[in-house]
């Protein structure tokens, strides 16, 4: 099951990276991307970054390593939320 879900996420990410212009036509410009990633190509770059993040999450899901990655990311926060003995 993890392999199928991961593959779907990877395919969506690849399509986001390859078909950035179509996404821009469908959803338009995003002000945050334009403001922080450049003036004219900011939205395109933002869509590509979101697609690459989706590919990364898809690979982690497909290899069933997503749980370990989430624990690693949130470990500093979880360390402080444990009761002290």
């Amino acid at each position: 099951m993890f392999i199928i879900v991961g593959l779907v996420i990877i395919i969506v990410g690849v399509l986001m990276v390859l078909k950035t212009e179509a996404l821009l036509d469908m959803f338009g410009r995003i002000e945050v991307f334009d403001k922080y990633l450049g003036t004219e190509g900011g939205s395109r770059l933002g869509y590509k970054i979101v697609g690459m993040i989706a590919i990364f999450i898809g690979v982690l899901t497909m290899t069933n390593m997503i749980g370990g990655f989430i624990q690693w990311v949130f470990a500093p926060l979880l360390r402080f939320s444990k009761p002290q003995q």
Side-chain angles (χ1 to χ4, degrees), residues 27-66:
F27 299 112
R29 297 194 173 277
I30 298 176
E31 293 296 325
V32 173
F33 290 156
D34 283 336
K35 181 178 178 183
Y36 293 111
L37 297 177
T39 55
E40 289 298 317
S43 292
R44 288 178 185 86
L45 180 60
Y47 284 127
K48 288 182 189 280
I49 289 172
V50 170
M52 288 188 293
I53 290 170
I55 292 168
F56 179 71
I57 290 172
V59 169
L60 286 177
T61 303
M62 193 167 73
T63 58
N64 200 15
M65 295 173 63
I66 190 77

